[in-house]
Amino acid sequence: MTTIPALKLTVPDVLPLARAIYARSCVGCCLHIVLDDDNVADSHVQFCVEWAVKQGHADCEQLARQLLTMSKTQRLKLAKLT
């Protein structure tokens, strides 16, 4: 059985969702430790996924899951653009 690898997203792919989150929360809501504080390790992003689920923030959960497909460099770049 062949598995299909996860789609690797780019910064332009996720930037609109990140900006939408910032439009409703000036600190990046559930993703503030990644987007505002530059904590871009997988463990930090995974924490954001779990926190977004607990808070019921579907948009934050979606972005956090998308960030897990991206490199740390891409995550830092996104943080600079939001």
Side-chain angles (χ1 to χ4, degrees):
M1 178 197 275
T2 306
T3 59
I4 299 171
L7 176 65
K8 185 147 181 147
L9 298 169
T10 65
V11 171
D13 292 332
V14 301
L15 187 57
L17 180 54
R19 287 189 171 155
I21 290 169
Y22 269 91
R24 96 173 144 70
S25 171
C26 66
V27 296
C29 200
C30 300
L31 291 145
H32 75 274
I33 67 167
V34 174
L35 299 177
D36 277 355
D37 301 336
D38 295 338
N39 296 307
V40 294
D42 289 347
S43 61
H44 299 130
V45 179
Q46 185 58 47
F47 173 85
C48 293
V49 170
E50 294 165 12
W51 185 251
V53 168
K54 287 179 185 174
Q55 299 305 306
H57 294 173
D59 55 348
C60 292
E61 179 187 355
Q62 178 183 350
L63 180 57
R65 290 188 188 281
Q66 291 173 340
L67 290 177
L68 285 173
T69 73
M70 300 171 73
S71 69
K72 290 172 184 66
T73 302
Q74 289 176 301
R75 295 170 193 170
L76 286 169
K77 183 176 180 182
L78 179 65
K80 302 292 183 247
L81 294 173
T82 53

